[in-house]
Amino acid sequence: MPEVRFTIRWPDGTEESCYSPSTAIRQHVSAGTAYPLPEFLDRARAGLNAASDRVAAKFGYACSSALDQLARIEARAATQPPDGQVICLSLT
């Protein structure tokens, strides 16, 4: 299953490399796009849950890496200004 790495810039200016176990994340975030923090969280949840579901459909179990990545994103988002924007810098 093709994995995707995506790099984001948080509202505080820090960058983070993130992981998706499938290309499903590409349906939810686009490189070069800025998202209000709440919208980015919704998109990350949808994309990473869809990626985990694809793994489950193929292998019979959810992808813990996708769910761990989502947990890290949610934890980091809680430290950011709620009116900030997250920029997706790249998807590879």
Side-chain angles (χ1 to χ4, degrees):
M1 187 160 281
E3 65 183 38
V4 174
R5 302 249 176 218
F6 57 106
T7 303
I8 58 174
R9 180 178 298 135
W10 290 103
D12 67 6
T14 59
E15 294 182 9
E16 183 173 349
S17 177
C18 302
Y19 169 82
S20 172
S22 92
T23 59
I25 193 70
R26 293 181 182 275
Q27 297 171 7
H28 301 277
V29 295
S30 299
T33 304
Y35 301 98
L37 182 61
E39 180 181 347
F40 175 75
L41 285 172
D42 288 344
R43 289 173 174 273
R45 284 183 192 114
L48 290 168
N49 282 320
S52 180
D53 291 347
R54 281 191 182 178
V55 170
K58 185 170 184 174
F59 298 108
Y61 52 86
C63 180
S64 60
S65 294
L67 302 177
D68 290 346
Q69 179 63 71
L70 179 56
R72 284 190 300 277
I73 287 172
E74 289 176 332
R76 185 66 186 269
T79 70
Q80 301 296 309
D83 60 345
Q85 291 196 333
V86 177
I87 302 168
C88 180
L89 299 172
S90 66
L91 290 123
T92 56

